[in-house]
Amino acid sequence: MPSVADILIPLALDNAYSYAVPAGLVLAPGDVVQVPLGPRETVGVVWQVSESPGGSNLRLVTGRIEAPPLSDPLRELVDWLARYTLAPKGSALAMALRLPDEAARSETSRIGVRETGKPPARPTPARLKVLAVAGDGAMRGKSALAKEAGVSLSVVDGLIDDGALEAVALAPEPVALPPNPDHERVPLSEVQDQAARDLIGLTYPTSEDGTTRKAPTILLEGVTGSGKTEVYFEAVAEAVRRGQQALILMPEIALTAQFLDRFAERFGVRPATWHSGIGSKRRERLRAGVAAGEVAVVVGARSALFLPFSDLGLIVVDEEHEAAYKQEDGVHYHARDMAVVRGRLENCPVVLASATPSIETKVNAEKGRYAHIVLPERFGGRRLPDIHAIDMRLDKPEKGRFLAPPLVNAVRATIEAGDQALLFLNRRGYAPLTLCRACGHRYQCRNCSTWLVEHRFRRALVCHQCGYAERRPDACTECGTFDNLTPCGPGVERIAEEVTELFPDKRIIVLSSDFPGGAERLRAELQSVADGECDIVIGTQLVAKGHNFPHLTLVGVLDADIGLTSGDPRAAERTFQLLQQVTGRAGRGDKPGRALVQTYQPDHPVIAALLSGDATRFYEEEIASREAAGLPPFGRLAALIVSANEREVAEAHGQALARAAEPPEGIMVLGPAEAPLALIRGRYRFRLLVKTERAVDLQGYLRDWLGRGPKVRGNVKVAIDVDPQSFL
């Protein structure tokens, strides 16, 4: 009886298509195949194979593609992700199926050369130099041999033609060398050592009869500087000893040179890295190595979660509270939550590490759903920084400046003592708004409902939503007057200008993700800070993400109230996490640290919790507030974002959706309302928000509602975001 294969195509399609399997071709679920789709050929994954007498009228599978098959747990993850996010199943598959392009498939071989023992026909001095170097019998590349001998490449080619050297194809360089779990175990404190033993005991539990039990999810919570990384490295080492693979997810993989160095110190080699910046050839070799079990440890961005691991033994989500783990376009998923799901499907332990856990993770730990390990003190007995507020209502900066006098004095004293100071402002550019004092004109993006941010270093006004940029004019484009354009508010560039005026002879580094040079420059700048090669650092939130600056003893937080007045239900949590993380950069070396927080609201619960160091009280109050309001994790939210090229069309579709909502008991539908960012990239946006009790089948209701709602026509789009993290 002929076989029929249900093939899932990595496009925005929700169902698998049935194809007949040609005689002689044996397929299994997970195989990557080529199939006809309309007038063209495409790739897909076998989701199911069955025998069917009715397969004769189906189109035939063209053939199997040499690519790592998708394992059962990985295909289950794709199914789970599509059900949970309401994304088309094919769109979820596209994240797990990354086929190489032709350039990646046709990777050129490495060629080495070695001496044959045959004397050259013309023993010139240059040739004799080459043979003297090659006489040690080592295999070298042609360029390396020519460089070592101090001759041109043509001399080496001549010796190959002459038969004195021979060219030999070399095996490809390994995508990652195997880590040694016993290379150099970093000395741990008594608290760290106990935490590491507890973590290994939890991650690799065995029952009394010796069988493996259900793998847990573990919250590893420790204050900044407590050495969480060294603790979970021991769990990674145990996975490697057992011959299993480990995945470490990080929110900012492009900025992790310091982390990779720490990994190399512990394991002797750097791990494989997976992020958008690696080339297609290396990406394909890494996928193949992961699928074959040859790559033991991968450090990656959120997309690394969908790599085809053959024996995944541990997942670590570092800085699990970070909003960067949420994908805000395409399939709206949270990598932390999907890591927990993949761990459950693979029966693989998951470690969530953070100094400031998310409310969701904290509640899961308190309710016993997650195990909980705490590191309550810094490594080496170092004290947490002393944190004090500067009340901006009392200690006002000089006119035209943004640093209060107490902070200026503290910076001066710090650098005179030979230490470093960090000034933190979570606002890129020079100024968030430019206006004309003569006519009041404000410069706004032509594609978005956002103000253009002045970037003085680039002499440009830039939109941080769509990337639109225009040159900063000399005269107002509205009224034509000169010298009336005024920057309003500070960005890090403006703070750098002020600091340069105050400390003209000091070394200053500005760290912002949109500075020229990209990730490579940022890595170099971060390393120079760690090496003590500057006096004052001015940075945005990227400096708050796990960096270790041993010479930094003072952190000054400017405009600490940013975000506290927004309508985001996570505003207090995020502000507390960010401020706790950035102030925690101080005093991680041999000297104690301190932090000064400029605020107009010193009595705000978030600021008060930060100043008192009472994180427990903050979490208790925030959790109680969430529970009283029925907000996550005690209730559930979903956002529907309706967008169109015309405002009226988007609004009309949103209203039609609202009329079809018919929410039952336990479900509330709010909106449509114009989104706070009402226009992005030329599309007008309206939001509907669904709020339910925790036990409600939110996805079932959404599917039913959308099925009854108006059909999407023209350029209208409806994006569904279950568990939204952004409310803009």
Tab-separated table of all heavy atoms in Angstrom, residues 648-697:
chain	number	residue	atom	x	y	z
A	648	GLU	N	-8.867	55.084	9.494
A	648	GLU	CA	-10.288	54.745	9.554
A	648	GLU	C	-10.508	53.255	9.339
A	648	GLU	O	-11.375	52.647	9.973
A	648	GLU	CB	-11.066	55.545	8.506
A	648	GLU	CG	-11.071	57.055	8.724
A	648	GLU	CD	-9.757	57.713	8.310
A	648	GLU	OE1	-8.928	57.035	7.645
A	648	GLU	OE2	-9.547	58.892	8.656
A	649	VAL	N	-9.718	52.655	8.446
A	649	VAL	CA	-9.868	51.225	8.164
A	649	VAL	C	-9.470	50.400	9.383
A	649	VAL	O	-10.150	49.440	9.762
A	649	VAL	CB	-9.017	50.839	6.932
A	649	VAL	CG1	-9.009	49.327	6.733
A	649	VAL	CG2	-9.544	51.533	5.684
A	650	ALA	N	-8.344	50.768	10.018
A	650	ALA	CA	-7.902	50.038	11.203
A	650	ALA	C	-8.920	50.166	12.332
A	650	ALA	O	-9.253	49.180	13.007
A	650	ALA	CB	-6.544	50.562	11.656
A	651	GLU	N	-9.429	51.370	12.542
A	651	GLU	CA	-10.401	51.582	13.608
A	651	GLU	C	-11.684	50.811	13.339
A	651	GLU	O	-12.256	50.187	14.246
A	651	GLU	CB	-10.704	53.071	13.765
A	651	GLU	CG	-11.628	53.385	14.922
A	651	GLU	CD	-11.836	54.874	15.119
A	651	GLU	OE1	-11.568	55.650	14.172
A	651	GLU	OE2	-12.254	55.265	16.222
A	652	ALA	N	-12.163	50.813	12.097
A	652	ALA	CA	-13.402	50.114	11.754
A	652	ALA	C	-13.261	48.612	11.983
A	652	ALA	O	-14.184	47.961	12.501
A	652	ALA	CB	-13.782	50.397	10.296
A	653	HIS	N	-12.117	48.052	11.609
A	653	HIS	CA	-11.933	46.620	11.814
A	653	HIS	C	-11.860	46.302	13.304
A	653	HIS	O	-12.411	45.283	13.757
A	653	HIS	CB	-10.664	46.131	11.111
A	653	HIS	CG	-10.560	44.637	11.045
A	653	HIS	ND1	-11.069	43.901	10.003
A	653	HIS	CD2	-10.033	43.736	11.915
A	653	HIS	CE1	-10.851	42.611	10.222
A	653	HIS	NE2	-10.216	42.489	11.370
A	654	GLY	N	-11.203	47.163	14.075
A	654	GLY	CA	-11.145	46.950	15.512
A	654	GLY	C	-12.523	46.999	16.147
A	654	GLY	O	-12.848	46.189	17.031
A	655	GLN	N	-13.360	47.924	15.720
A	655	GLN	CA	-14.711	48.024	16.265
A	655	GLN	C	-15.553	46.812	15.881
A	655	GLN	O	-16.342	46.301	16.693
A	655	GLN	CB	-15.364	49.312	15.774
A	655	GLN	CG	-14.746	50.572	16.382
A	655	GLN	CD	-15.289	51.843	15.764
A	655	GLN	OE1	-15.879	51.831	14.678
A	655	GLN	NE2	-15.073	52.973	16.442
A	656	ALA	N	-15.375	46.327	14.648
A	656	ALA	CA	-16.105	45.127	14.227
A	656	ALA	C	-15.678	43.914	15.040
A	656	ALA	O	-16.505	43.070	15.414
A	656	ALA	CB	-15.875	44.882	12.733
A	657	LEU	N	-14.387	43.828	15.341
A	657	LEU	CA	-13.907	42.746	16.199
A	657	LEU	C	-14.530	42.844	17.589
A	657	LEU	O	-14.951	41.828	18.173
A	657	LEU	CB	-12.384	42.809	16.310
A	657	LEU	CG	-11.548	41.936	15.384
A	657	LEU	CD1	-10.063	42.187	15.620
A	657	LEU	CD2	-11.860	40.455	15.586
A	658	ALA	N	-14.592	44.047	18.123
A	658	ALA	CA	-15.151	44.237	19.460
A	658	ALA	C	-16.620	43.820	19.500
A	658	ALA	O	-17.085	43.223	20.481
A	658	ALA	CB	-14.994	45.686	19.896
A	659	ARG	N	-17.371	44.109	18.448
A	659	ARG	CA	-18.789	43.733	18.411
A	659	ARG	C	-18.970	42.215	18.390
A	659	ARG	O	-19.972	41.691	18.868
A	659	ARG	CB	-19.467	44.363	17.195
A	659	ARG	CG	-19.670	45.868	17.315
A	659	ARG	CD	-20.617	46.391	16.245
A	659	ARG	NE	-20.054	46.242	14.903
A	659	ARG	CZ	-19.304	47.162	14.294
A	659	ARG	NH1	-19.022	48.303	14.938
A	659	ARG	NH2	-18.851	46.970	13.085
A	660	ALA	N	-17.971	41.520	17.825
A	660	ALA	CA	-18.072	40.057	17.743
A	660	ALA	C	-17.493	39.355	18.966
A	660	ALA	O	-17.497	38.127	19.029
A	660	ALA	CB	-17.351	39.568	16.482
A	661	ALA	N	-17.026	40.118	19.959
A	661	ALA	CA	-16.291	39.512	21.074
A	661	ALA	C	-17.156	38.571	21.905
A	661	ALA	O	-16.761	37.440	22.200
A	661	ALA	CB	-15.687	40.603	21.954
A	662	GLU	N	-18.348	39.036	22.336
A	662	GLU	CA	-19.273	38.233	23.130
A	662	GLU	C	-18.559	37.488	24.258
A	662	GLU	O	-18.622	36.260	24.357
A	662	GLU	CB	-20.021	37.228	22.243
A	662	GLU	CG	-20.810	37.880	21.127
A	662	GLU	CD	-21.456	36.848	20.204
A	662	GLU	OE1	-21.358	35.630	20.514
A	662	GLU	OE2	-22.040	37.239	19.189
A	663	PRO	N	-17.849	38.216	25.116
A	663	PRO	CA	-17.060	37.530	26.156
A	663	PRO	C	-17.950	36.861	27.192
A	663	PRO	O	-18.883	37.484	27.712
A	663	PRO	CB	-16.244	38.662	26.772
A	663	PRO	CG	-17.046	39.901	26.500
A	663	PRO	CD	-17.731	39.679	25.194
A	664	PRO	N	-17.702	35.602	27.526
A	664	PRO	CA	-18.459	34.938	28.586
A	664	PRO	C	-17.964	35.383	29.961
A	664	PRO	O	-17.031	36.186	30.076
A	664	PRO	CB	-18.165	33.462	28.336
A	664	PRO	CG	-16.809	33.464	27.716
A	664	PRO	CD	-16.726	34.712	26.901
A	665	GLU	N	-18.541	34.822	31.003
A	665	GLU	CA	-18.136	35.153	32.367
A	665	GLU	C	-16.677	34.759	32.579
A	665	GLU	O	-16.223	33.707	32.135
A	665	GLU	CB	-19.025	34.416	33.371
A	665	GLU	CG	-18.767	34.810	34.815
A	665	GLU	CD	-19.719	34.120	35.777
A	665	GLU	OE1	-20.659	33.455	35.291
A	665	GLU	OE2	-19.514	34.245	36.999
A	666	GLY	N	-15.931	35.632	33.237
A	666	GLY	CA	-14.512	35.387	33.484
A	666	GLY	C	-13.601	35.981	32.438
A	666	GLY	O	-12.378	35.867	32.544
A	667	ILE	N	-14.188	36.598	31.409
A	667	ILE	CA	-13.388	37.206	30.338
A	667	ILE	C	-13.849	38.641	30.130
A	667	ILE	O	-15.047	38.920	30.058
A	667	ILE	CB	-13.513	36.411	29.020
A	667	ILE	CG1	-12.967	35.004	29.188
A	667	ILE	CG2	-12.779	37.123	27.882
A	667	ILE	CD1	-13.077	34.138	27.948
A	668	MET	N	-12.898	39.557	30.036
A	668	MET	CA	-13.192	40.968	29.780
A	668	MET	C	-12.441	41.406	28.535
A	668	MET	O	-11.253	41.101	28.379
A	668	MET	CB	-12.748	41.821	30.982
A	668	MET	CG	-13.027	43.304	30.843
A	668	MET	SD	-12.309	44.247	32.234
A	668	MET	CE	-13.147	43.474	33.631
A	669	VAL	N	-13.144	42.105	27.629
A	669	VAL	CA	-12.526	42.628	26.416
A	669	VAL	C	-12.575	44.148	26.476
A	669	VAL	O	-13.651	44.739	26.638
A	669	VAL	CB	-13.236	42.118	25.148
A	669	VAL	CG1	-12.628	42.767	23.905
A	669	VAL	CG2	-13.129	40.600	25.054
A	670	LEU	N	-11.420	44.781	26.362
A	670	LEU	CA	-11.301	46.234	26.422
A	670	LEU	C	-10.873	46.759	25.060
A	670	LEU	O	-10.012	46.184	24.403
A	670	LEU	CB	-10.274	46.637	27.486
A	670	LEU	CG	-10.496	46.074	28.894
A	670	LEU	CD1	-9.307	46.380	29.777
A	670	LEU	CD2	-11.775	46.627	29.490
A	671	GLY	N	-11.451	47.864	24.644
A	671	GLY	CA	-11.065	48.477	23.379
A	671	GLY	C	-12.114	48.250	22.304
A	671	GLY	O	-13.200	47.751	22.573
A	672	PRO	N	-11.784	48.682	21.081
A	672	PRO	CA	-10.447	49.099	20.628
A	672	PRO	C	-10.110	50.526	21.058
A	672	PRO	O	-10.980	51.387	21.129
A	672	PRO	CB	-10.557	49.004	19.105
A	672	PRO	CG	-12.004	49.303	18.828
A	672	PRO	CD	-12.766	48.708	19.969
A	673	ALA	N	-8.851	50.733	21.319
A	673	ALA	CA	-8.333	52.058	21.637
A	673	ALA	C	-7.080	52.281	20.813
A	673	ALA	O	-6.346	51.337	20.507
A	673	ALA	CB	-8.010	52.174	23.123
A	674	GLU	N	-6.857	53.528	20.451
A	674	GLU	CA	-5.646	53.839	19.704
A	674	GLU	C	-4.430	53.481	20.556
A	674	GLU	O	-4.362	53.816	21.735
A	674	GLU	CB	-5.635	55.323	19.344
A	674	GLU	CG	-4.670	55.680	18.250
A	674	GLU	CD	-4.879	57.101	17.757
A	674	GLU	OE1	-4.901	58.020	18.609
A	674	GLU	OE2	-5.034	57.300	16.548
A	675	ALA	N	-3.499	52.779	19.965
A	675	ALA	CA	-2.302	52.369	20.696
A	675	ALA	C	-1.494	53.603	21.090
A	675	ALA	O	-1.536	54.631	20.398
A	675	ALA	CB	-1.454	51.440	19.832
A	676	PRO	N	-0.746	53.543	22.203
A	676	PRO	CA	0.107	54.683	22.576
A	676	PRO	C	1.023	55.103	21.430
A	676	PRO	O	1.232	56.295	21.220
A	676	PRO	CB	0.882	54.148	23.779
A	676	PRO	CG	-0.028	53.133	24.392
A	676	PRO	CD	-0.725	52.489	23.239
A	677	LEU	N	1.615	54.138	20.740
A	677	LEU	CA	2.318	54.433	19.488
A	677	LEU	C	1.333	54.136	18.367
A	677	LEU	O	1.250	53.015	17.865
A	677	LEU	CB	3.582	53.577	19.364
A	677	LEU	CG	4.719	53.921	20.323
A	677	LEU	CD1	5.899	52.983	20.119
A	677	LEU	CD2	5.167	55.368	20.137
A	678	ALA	N	0.564	55.150	18.011
A	678	ALA	CA	-0.575	54.942	17.115
A	678	ALA	C	-0.161	54.724	15.671
A	678	ALA	O	-0.940	54.173	14.882
A	678	ALA	CB	-1.524	56.139	17.204
A	679	LEU	N	1.015	55.157	15.301
A	679	LEU	CA	1.476	55.026	13.922
A	679	LEU	C	2.918	54.539	13.935
A	679	LEU	O	3.794	55.177	14.510
A	679	LEU	CB	1.389	56.377	13.202
A	679	LEU	CG	1.885	56.431	11.750
A	679	LEU	CD1	0.991	55.607	10.842
A	679	LEU	CD2	1.950	57.890	11.265
A	680	ILE	N	3.169	53.385	13.337
A	680	ILE	CA	4.520	52.837	13.231
A	680	ILE	C	4.726	52.355	11.804
A	680	ILE	O	3.925	51.580	11.279
A	680	ILE	CB	4.756	51.677	14.218
A	680	ILE	CG1	4.716	52.183	15.667
A	680	ILE	CG2	6.110	51.014	13.964
A	680	ILE	CD1	4.980	51.103	16.700
A	681	ARG	N	5.792	52.853	11.191
A	681	ARG	CA	6.145	52.462	9.817
A	681	ARG	C	4.984	52.661	8.848
A	681	ARG	O	4.725	51.835	7.974
A	681	ARG	CB	6.635	51.022	9.773
A	681	ARG	CG	7.925	50.790	10.549
A	681	ARG	CD	8.387	49.331	10.460
A	681	ARG	NE	9.652	49.164	11.178
A	681	ARG	CZ	9.739	48.881	12.468
A	681	ARG	NH1	8.635	48.731	13.170
A	681	ARG	NH2	10.905	48.756	13.055
A	682	GLY	N	4.255	53.736	9.050
A	682	GLY	CA	3.185	54.074	8.132
A	682	GLY	C	1.895	53.311	8.346
A	682	GLY	O	0.963	53.442	7.542
A	683	ARG	N	1.814	52.523	9.418
A	683	ARG	CA	0.591	51.760	9.679
A	683	ARG	C	-0.051	52.259	10.978
A	683	ARG	O	0.613	52.383	12.017
A	683	ARG	CB	0.897	50.255	9.786
A	683	ARG	CG	1.397	49.668	8.474
A	683	ARG	CD	1.562	48.158	8.578
A	683	ARG	NE	0.302	47.467	8.813
A	683	ARG	CZ	-0.552	47.132	7.856
A	683	ARG	NH1	-0.289	47.433	6.585
A	683	ARG	NH2	-1.673	46.490	8.147
A	684	TYR	N	-1.364	52.519	10.901
A	684	TYR	CA	-2.122	52.993	12.056
A	684	TYR	C	-2.548	51.791	12.892
A	684	TYR	O	-2.947	50.755	12.364
A	684	TYR	CB	-3.337	53.794	11.600
A	684	TYR	CG	-2.965	55.075	10.907
A	684	TYR	CD1	-2.713	55.098	9.540
A	684	TYR	CD2	-2.835	56.261	11.620
A	684	TYR	CE1	-2.345	56.271	8.900
A	684	TYR	CE2	-2.469	57.445	10.988
A	684	TYR	CZ	-2.223	57.444	9.624
A	684	TYR	OH	-1.850	58.605	8.994
A	685	ARG	N	-2.473	51.949	14.224
A	685	ARG	CA	-2.627	50.808	15.121
A	685	ARG	C	-3.704	51.057	16.182
A	685	ARG	O	-3.729	52.103	16.829
A	685	ARG	CB	-1.296	50.493	15.814
A	685	ARG	CG	-0.152	50.293	14.862
A	685	ARG	CD	1.198	50.361	15.550
A	685	ARG	NE	1.447	49.210	16.401
A	685	ARG	CZ	1.604	49.232	17.702
A	685	ARG	NH1	1.521	50.394	18.350
A	685	ARG	NH2	1.845	48.141	18.389
A	686	PHE	N	-4.578	50.052	16.357
A	686	PHE	CA	-5.564	50.040	17.432
A	686	PHE	C	-5.413	48.733	18.200
A	686	PHE	O	-5.096	47.695	17.619
A	686	PHE	CB	-6.987	50.171	16.879
A	686	PHE	CG	-7.337	51.572	16.471
A	686	PHE	CD1	-6.903	52.077	15.252
A	686	PHE	CD2	-8.080	52.397	17.306
A	686	PHE	CE1	-7.199	53.372	14.874
A	686	PHE	CE2	-8.384	53.696	16.933
A	686	PHE	CZ	-7.942	54.191	15.721
A	687	ARG	N	-5.637	48.819	19.516
A	687	ARG	CA	-5.436	47.647	20.371
A	687	ARG	C	-6.731	47.237	21.051
A	687	ARG	O	-7.528	48.076	21.477
A	687	ARG	CB	-4.401	47.937	21.466
A	687	ARG	CG	-2.999	48.135	20.985
A	687	ARG	CD	-2.094	48.578	22.132
A	687	ARG	NE	-2.100	47.628	23.219
A	687	ARG	CZ	-1.218	46.624	23.343
A	687	ARG	NH1	-0.276	46.473	22.443
A	687	ARG	NH2	-1.273	45.802	24.353
A	688	LEU	N	-6.931	45.933	21.140
A	688	LEU	CA	-7.945	45.357	22.007
A	688	LEU	C	-7.209	44.498	23.029
A	688	LEU	O	-6.253	43.794	22.683
A	688	LEU	CB	-8.944	44.500	21.225
A	688	LEU	CG	-9.799	45.244	20.201
A	688	LEU	CD1	-9.256	45.009	18.801
A	688	LEU	CD2	-11.258	44.808	20.284
A	689	LEU	N	-7.636	44.567	24.263
A	689	LEU	CA	-6.978	43.812	25.329
A	689	LEU	C	-7.978	42.835	25.934
A	689	LEU	O	-9.106	43.220	26.280
A	689	LEU	CB	-6.448	44.759	26.408
A	689	LEU	CG	-5.544	44.127	27.472
A	689	LEU	CD1	-4.237	43.647	26.851
A	689	LEU	CD2	-5.251	45.131	28.581
A	690	VAL	N	-7.582	41.580	26.035
A	690	VAL	CA	-8.413	40.540	26.639
A	690	VAL	C	-7.817	40.203	28.003
A	690	VAL	O	-6.630	39.888	28.104
A	690	VAL	CB	-8.458	39.277	25.755
A	690	VAL	CG1	-9.386	38.237	26.377
A	690	VAL	CG2	-8.907	39.625	24.354
A	691	LYS	N	-8.650	40.256	29.034
A	691	LYS	CA	-8.224	39.956	30.404
A	691	LYS	C	-9.109	38.827	30.923
A	691	LYS	O	-10.336	38.913	30.874
A	691	LYS	CB	-8.349	41.193	31.285
A	691	LYS	CG	-7.932	41.013	32.739
A	691	LYS	CD	-7.984	42.362	33.458
A	691	LYS	CE	-7.597	42.241	34.919
A	691	LYS	NZ	-8.632	41.544	35.718
A	692	THR	N	-8.474	37.754	31.406
A	692	THR	CA	-9.238	36.597	31.866
A	692	THR	C	-8.731	36.131	33.218
A	692	THR	O	-7.639	36.494	33.657
A	692	THR	CB	-9.133	35.417	30.874
A	692	THR	OG1	-7.859	34.771	31.048
A	692	THR	CG2	-9.264	35.875	29.438
A	693	GLU	N	-9.532	35.293	33.846
A	693	GLU	CA	-9.072	34.597	35.029
A	693	GLU	C	-8.046	33.547	34.607
A	693	GLU	O	-8.012	33.114	33.454
A	693	GLU	CB	-10.264	33.948	35.742
A	693	GLU	CG	-11.293	34.962	36.228
A	693	GLU	CD	-12.554	34.303	36.763
A	693	GLU	OE1	-12.645	33.053	36.692
A	693	GLU	OE2	-13.451	35.028	37.233
A	694	ARG	N	-7.226	33.123	35.549
A	694	ARG	CA	-6.113	32.232	35.220
A	694	ARG	C	-6.578	30.903	34.635
A	694	ARG	O	-5.939	30.348	33.742
A	694	ARG	CB	-5.251	31.994	36.466
A	694	ARG	CG	-4.053	31.096	36.196
A	694	ARG	CD	-3.148	30.962	37.397
A	694	ARG	NE	-2.104	29.988	37.162
A	694	ARG	CZ	-0.982	30.221	36.490
A	694	ARG	NH1	-0.767	31.428	35.999
A	694	ARG	NH2	-0.096	29.269	36.315
A	695	ALA	N	-7.693	30.372	35.125
A	695	ALA	CA	-8.130	29.040	34.702
A	695	ALA	C	-8.849	29.037	33.357
A	695	ALA	O	-9.161	27.969	32.830
A	695	ALA	CB	-9.033	28.436	35.772
A	696	VAL	N	-9.102	30.197	32.786
A	696	VAL	CA	-9.863	30.279	31.528
A	696	VAL	C	-9.006	29.797	30.355
A	696	VAL	O	-7.795	30.060	30.303
A	696	VAL	CB	-10.335	31.731	31.290
A	696	VAL	CG1	-10.865	31.913	29.874
A	696	VAL	CG2	-11.409	32.093	32.308
A	697	ASP	N	-9.633	29.096	29.414
A	697	ASP	CA	-8.962	28.673	28.181
A	697	ASP	C	-8.893	29.892	27.251
A	697	ASP	O	-9.755	30.082	26.395
A	697	ASP	CB	-9.722	27.526	27.526
A	697	ASP	CG	-9.085	27.067	26.214
A	697	ASP	OD1	-7.966	27.530	25.895
A	697	ASP	OD2	-9.720	26.269	25.494
